[in-house]
């Protein structure tokens, strides 16, 4: 019988927390949209700020960054994965959405079976239509920061060319600013923890950028002073691989943290993940 602890949220058998500091290595811009326009600022393209006017990286942005980076990583491993955007999600792609919904209404065991068999690792970790994910991202709040503005040439999204009134003043967070970071996972197998740490390392190493204006060199960040806390069972599911308890690991430098977390990344690279069904 398959152990569904990874996707079953009714009982929490394991809580995993990775928290630390994110430091910007280049300008950073998380756009706030027109509703966040600040009449006191010269910038016509403002960053997202909290109620106190401080820059913030929303947890929803982290979730999107992790999911899209993870999609690229899984595809490089030739694993089946959906984007989670629009109608590109596993239950829809496998034509199992109605069967899953029938299970939710009358037979939870059947719903768990369908979700387990016909969804990818991204759906299980980050969630999908009607299903909450196994990991939460808190908003990243500023520890120290400075803001600046820069005039840039605006590009028309529809035409792909320089837009009319092409000069726009963009607000951004300066390089060297620091933000908090916290991610909480529930019932994560060791290979799923290794997957998340692999995504973090991709961000840390500069393979993934955060926020907008990536083509202009914005959005490079690194992790520092990272702490790993792991409470509960140390192996989730029959397909998981046991490793030594590493709860309480804390490193001032991100490079050292990822070096110490290699056992989790190795489990991710070697685990035989039995889903989704082909």
């Amino acid at each position: 019988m398959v152990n569904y602890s990874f996707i079953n949220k009714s009982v929490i058998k394991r809580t995993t927390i990775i928290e630390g500091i994110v430091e910007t290595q280049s300008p950073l811009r998380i756009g706030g949209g027109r509703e966040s326009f600040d009449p006191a600022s010269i910038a016509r393209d403002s960053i997202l700020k909290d109620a106190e006017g401080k820059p913030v990286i929303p947890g929803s942005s982290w979730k999107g960054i992790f999911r899209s980076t993870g999609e690229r990583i899984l595809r490089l491993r030739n694993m089946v994965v959906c984007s989670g955007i629009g109608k590109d999600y596993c239950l829809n792609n496998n034509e199992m959405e109605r069967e899953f919904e029938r299970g939710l209404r009358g037979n939870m065991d059947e719903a768990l079976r369908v979700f387990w068999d016909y969804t990818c690792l991204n759906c299980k970790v980050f969630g999908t239509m009607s299903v909450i994910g196994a990991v939460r991202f808190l908003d990243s709040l500023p520890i120290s920061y400075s803001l600046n503005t820069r005039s840039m040439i605006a590009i028309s999204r529809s035409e792909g060319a320089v837009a009319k009134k092409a000069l726009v003043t963009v607000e951004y967070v300066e390089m060297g600013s620091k933000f908090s970071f916290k991610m909480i996972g529930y019932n994560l197998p060791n290979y799923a923890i290794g997957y998340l740490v692999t995504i973090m390392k991709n961000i840390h190493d500069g393979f993934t950028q955060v926020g907008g204006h990536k083509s202009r060199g914005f959005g490079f960040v690194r992790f520092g002073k990272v702490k790993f806390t792991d409470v509960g069972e140390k192996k989730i599911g029959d397909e998981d691989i046991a490793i030594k308890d590493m709860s309480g690991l804390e490193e001032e430098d991100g490079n050292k943290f990822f070096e110490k977390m290699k056992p989790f990344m190795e489990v991710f690279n070697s685990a035989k993940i039995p889903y989704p069904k082909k």
Side-chain angles (χ1 to χ4, degrees), residues 18 226 228 249 251 253-261:
I18 301 178
V226 195
F228 175 76
L249 172 66
E251 291 290 345
D253 177 73
N255 290 326
K256 293 181 180 179
F257 175 79
F258 292 117
E259 183 65 28
K260 294 283 183 65
M261 292 293 284

Side-chain angles (χ1 to χ4, degrees), residues 71 121 167:
E71 181 186 350
L121 182 58
L167 205 61

Side-chain angles (χ1 to χ4, degrees), residues 45-62:
D45 194 357
S46 300
I47 62 172
L48 185 65
K49 299 185 180 79
D50 63 14
E52 297 179 352
K54 297 178 181 179
V56 61
I57 306 174
S60 57
S61 291
W62 281 122

